[in-house]
C-alpha cells in the first residue's frame, strides 16, 4: 500500500486481487494500467539492486505490517510481496552457491 493514499481491492482480469488507489477508481482502465506498469518498472529497477541483507530487512518489515493488519485483503497483498522477496532471495542464494561451487572446483585442480 502506498503511504498516505487509500487503496481499494479490485478483481483484475486474471482473477487476482489488485489494489488501486481510490483516486484511480474512476479513471479509465488503460490509464491506471499504464501507471501500474510505470510504477512496477521503477520498483523492479530498485528491487534488483537489493542484496540479501536488504531483502531480509524488507521481509521483517512486511511481517510486522502483516501481524498488525486486520484486513484480509491487505494481509494477502503483503503476503504476495513477501513471496516475491523470498523468490528473489532464493535466486540470489542459488547464484552465490554456483559461484562457490565454481571456486571450489578451481581450487581443487
Amino acid at each position: 500500500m502506498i503511504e498516505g493514499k487509500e487503496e481499494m481491492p479490485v478483481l483484475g482480469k486474471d482473477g487476482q486481487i489488485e489494489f488501486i488507489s481510490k483516486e484511480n477508481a474512476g479513471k479509465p482502465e488503460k490509464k491506471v494500467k499504464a501507471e501500474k506498469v510505470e510504477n512496477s518498472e521503477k520498483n523492479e529497477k530498485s528491487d534488483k539492486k537489493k542484496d540479501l541483507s536488504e531483502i531480509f530487512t524488507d521481509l521483517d518489515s512486511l511481517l510486522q505490517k502483516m501481524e498488525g493488519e486486520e484486513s484480509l485483503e491487505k494481509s494477502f497483498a503483503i503476503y504476495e510481496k513477501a513471496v516475491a522477496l523470498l523468490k528473489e532471495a532464493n535466486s540470489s542464494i542459488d547464484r552465490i552457491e554456483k559461484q562457490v561451487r565454481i571456486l571450489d572446483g578451481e581450487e581443487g585442480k
Side-chain angles (χ1 to χ4, degrees):
M1 183 166 138
I2 301 171
E3 295 296 324
K5 291 187 178 182
E6 287 189 50
E7 294 183 337
M8 59 185 280
V10 294
L11 190 62
K13 287 184 179 180
D14 58 357
Q16 296 289 324
I17 295 175
E18 298 176 5
F19 289 88
I20 62 169
S21 63
K22 286 188 177 181
E23 64 188 32
N24 286 338
K27 290 183 180 179
E29 188 175 342
K30 287 183 181 179
K31 185 171 183 175
V32 171
K33 281 189 177 183
E35 289 173 2
K36 282 184 183 181
V37 168
E38 184 178 302
N39 289 338
S40 127
E41 288 172 354
K42 288 179 185 176
N43 289 339
E44 285 176 15
K45 289 178 184 175
S46 65
D47 288 346
K48 288 182 182 178
K49 297 177 185 176
K50 290 182 182 178
D51 62 11
L52 283 173
S53 63
E54 290 174 315
I55 292 172
F56 290 132
T57 300
D58 290 349
L59 282 168
D60 187 49
S61 171
L62 288 174
L63 179 61
Q64 290 175 4
K65 284 182 185 178
M66 189 183 294
E67 287 173 347
E69 187 57 58
E70 293 181 15
S71 164
L72 181 61
E73 290 85 5
K74 289 180 183 177
S75 291
F76 186 71
I78 294 169
Y79 171 79
E80 286 180 319
K81 290 177 187 179
V83 168
L85 283 173
L86 285 171
K87 287 179 181 180
E88 185 178 343
N90 190 41
S91 79
S92 182
I93 290 169
D94 287 344
R95 183 178 39 79
I96 292 168
E97 275 184 325
K98 287 177 186 175
Q99 291 173 342
V100 168
R101 287 182 186 151
I102 290 170
L103 290 175
D104 284 347
E106 290 176 359
E107 290 178 1
K109 290 183 180 180

